Amino acid sequence: MSTPQLLAEHFFRHEYGRLVATLSRRAGAQYIDAVEDAVQSALMSALESWTVSGVPDNPTAWLFRVAHNGLWGELRQRTRHRRIMEQNTTEVAAAPQDRVEPFLAGEMQDDLLRMLFVCCDAAIPTESQLVLALKILCGFEVREIALRLFISEGNVYKRLSRARDRLRALPPHLDELADEQYALRLPAVRKILYLMFTEGYLSSHAESAIRRELCAEAIRLTDILANHPVGESPETSALLALMHLHSARLTARQDGTGGLLLLEEQDRASWDRREIAVGLSWLAKSAAGDVFSRYHAEAGIAAEHCLAPTFQETRWDKVVECYALLERIAPSAIHRLNRAVAVAELRGPAAGLAVLDGFQPPTWLAGSYMWVAVLADLHRRCGDAHTASGYRELACQLAPTTAVKQVLQRRLHIAHAAASPAGRPTRRCT
Amino acid sequence: MPKYLCLQRKLADGNAERPSPAQMQEMYAKFGAWQQKFKKNLVDMGGKLGDGKLATADPAPDGPFVEVKELVGGYMIVSADSLGQAIEVARECPGLVGPGSGVEVIEIRTP
């Protein structure tokens, strides 16, 4: 008996994404359900067959052939879709086994990217776009998505069905995207990838492997986008830079028991130097041209943190500058709050408070632990113990998880060094 | 060593959930580990069973027959010192025994 061959990490999930993308381009995105069924069945056949007879020389081609035949078998049976059959008969007949593979090689990356743009249809709500991308491009099942996004399975189903309804409504063979469609949808594509990343980065899931997964998926897809003519642009480079720069510090954000660590408590030696280098090279690439996006500002902040030899030696003037730019490009109260924290490091707690002086935070922020915790910290450092303790109590009450509560207690009760939510993606509070 | 025929039986109400791609990856790895562990016992990995028909001396009567593939998912042949040991090999096989399926282990008697 031969030793079973090892398959690449996430082989089944990634093949799922590639096959769904390729087959739905050929059949039409309106057949997404049949496509997904065919791919699922092909993967099951692979599991059954490869464990007994070994992995074929070209597993991707093997899967494609099985899924392709399964799909067209199904479509053939749907008599009302006879017209599609006729259009594709030649292809089925002309696709002998050995010709599938060379045909695939150059095409699958394009198809994956194309499917990402199909997902980012303006008629599909953003939260449905994200779930759809996780389902069909990353190969996650409903319960796996629910676990990773901290939402119910019912909610995942609801979001998915909205997206699928839209895909099914696309007229046959008219879902091909024209060049201008790619350009139009590019910002939405970047946004989805950004969301996918921050969902992983800010996740309070106890297992670090699960937290890392969404970040890794976002980086994988953004990398394809940034290296492809339809997606390469300074903004995409900046997005990829910020992902790598944050990702470099992902492991260091937690202690051995899953507790959160403040930036100043993190062991900088455990930051991933290789990731930082990759991030910085994308950041350099993003400087081409005169575009300065929110991704540039966020990547700039992340880079400052990665490059600072110690917390104290952080170039807070640069961080403040980037937050000010970020506030201008993408006005948000959370950016102002982060700027206040950075200003407090640069010019002292009173200057930090001055940034927030007279500022009315929106309800979602005023009711979040972050806002209250920053006030508690700044007031304490200004010597106003009474005001500080009021905010401190409130912050601990508002803490969403035990890990956050612990970090707040440690920070607001004992520590004298500065706390900073600076340099993290800011979506947690939105 | 005696040989045993293992038949995977689909049990009534066995409506196991479809595994996700990530779970398939896990099953693949577990299956590999199982094959390594029992490589001395695994004589024939067998396979799935498809369509069949009853052949008799008379012209084949028209059914109804219980379709074999509805009851039996697949077969394999293992060698073991005893029925108990053969059951152990089958029981540890990932995916063979679980919600909705079980394995019938039958001794193959050779004269």
Side-chain angles (χ1 to χ4, degrees), chain A residues 59-110:
Chain A
T60 298
W62 191 101
L63 282 170
F64 177 78
R65 202 161 55 236
V66 173
H68 182 276
N69 292 345
L71 174 64
W72 261 270
E74 165 65 21
L75 294 186
R76 206 176 287 131
Q77 279 184 359
R78 299 184 184 185
T79 44
R80 66 182 185 280
H81 295 138
R82 189 160 284 152
R83 208 169 50 81
I84 307 251
M85 252 312 297
E86 285 157 6
Q87 284 167 7
N88 288 285
T89 321
T90 38
E91 191 185 2
V92 176
Q97 305 193 348
D98 53 343
R99 281 183 52 193
V100 175
E101 167 204 340
F103 175 60
L104 280 174
E107 202 182 87
M108 280 202 141
Q109 211 82 317
D110 293 357

Side-chain angles (χ1 to χ4, degrees), chain B residues 64-101:
Chain B
F65 302 114
V66 179
E67 277 215 56
V68 144
K69 63 174 179 176
E70 280 178 16
L71 279 176
V72 181
Y75 81 98
M76 64 179 182
I77 296 170
V78 306
S79 67
D81 292 328
S82 64
L83 183 64
Q85 200 194 8
I87 287 174
E88 215 35 60
V89 175
R91 198 196 296 283
E92 283 196 38
C93 175
L96 215 53
V97 183
S101 72

Side-chain angles (χ1 to χ4, degrees), chain A residues 189-421:
Chain A
V189 167
R190 279 192 293 254
K191 188 174 176 192
I192 284 301
L193 296 171
Y194 177 79
L195 285 181
M196 195 184 287
F197 183 85
T198 52
E199 284 293 348
Y201 190 76
L202 296 171
S203 161
S204 42
H205 202 285
E207 271 179 62
S208 83
I210 288 191
R211 287 194 308 273
R212 276 200 164 270
E213 232 167 25
L214 290 186
C215 296
E217 284 301 305
I219 289 178
R220 176 176 74 101
L221 294 172
T222 309
D223 195 66
I224 298 172
L225 184 70
N227 286 299
H228 196 281
V230 301
E232 65 179 346
S233 77
E235 283 180 86
T236 310
S237 300
L239 176 61
L240 188 52
L242 91 84
M243 287 179 180
H244 279 295
L245 293 170
H246 279 305
S247 184
R249 296 185 288 128
L250 195 61
T251 311
R253 283 178 71 235
Q254 293 208 314
D255 61 21
T257 62
L260 289 167
L261 289 176
L262 295 163
L263 181 56
E264 72 226 55
E265 297 169 334
Q266 293 175 13
D267 174 13
R268 287 174 189 243
S270 73
W271 291 357
D272 187 333
R273 295 289 139 192
R274 195 199 59 84
E275 283 256 42
I276 293 177
V278 175
L280 291 175
S281 75
W282 281 106
L283 188 63
K285 220 172 167 186
S286 78
D290 44 14
V291 186
F292 192 89
S293 64
R294 67 168 299 168
Y295 303 127
H296 285 85
E298 290 189 46
I301 295 164
E304 288 302 330
H305 288 303
C306 283
L307 290 172
T310 63
F311 181 78
Q312 287 73 22
E313 289 170 273
T314 308
R315 299 196 297 178
W316 291 108
D317 55 329
K318 299 286 179 195
V319 176
V320 168
E321 198 181 302
C322 283
Y323 272 119
L325 287 166
L326 184 57
E327 244 184 295
R328 211 171 306 148
I329 304 163
S332 161
I334 191 75
H335 297 154
R336 188 173 182 128
L337 183 65
N338 278 324
R339 181 161 64 88
V341 172
V343 166
E345 292 310 320
L346 181 66
R347 291 198 293 271
L353 274 179
V355 173
L356 302 175
D357 204 24
F359 174 66
Q360 281 298 322
T363 341
W364 59 260
L365 184 58
S368 91
Y369 77 93
M370 283 189 105
W371 170 257
V372 187
V374 168
L375 288 179
D377 184 58
L378 294 180
H379 279 293
R380 182 185 57 78
R381 285 156 67 191
C382 285
D384 185 351
H386 180 70
T387 313
S389 80
Y391 282 124
R392 192 175 59 209
E393 294 307 311
L394 190 55
C396 287
Q397 280 172 32
L398 292 170
T401 64
T402 320
V404 169
K405 193 168 180 166
Q406 281 167 353
V407 86
L408 285 177
Q409 280 168 345
R410 198 165 66 243
R411 180 66 190 86
L412 298 176
H413 285 261
I414 319 153
H416 292 282
S420 168

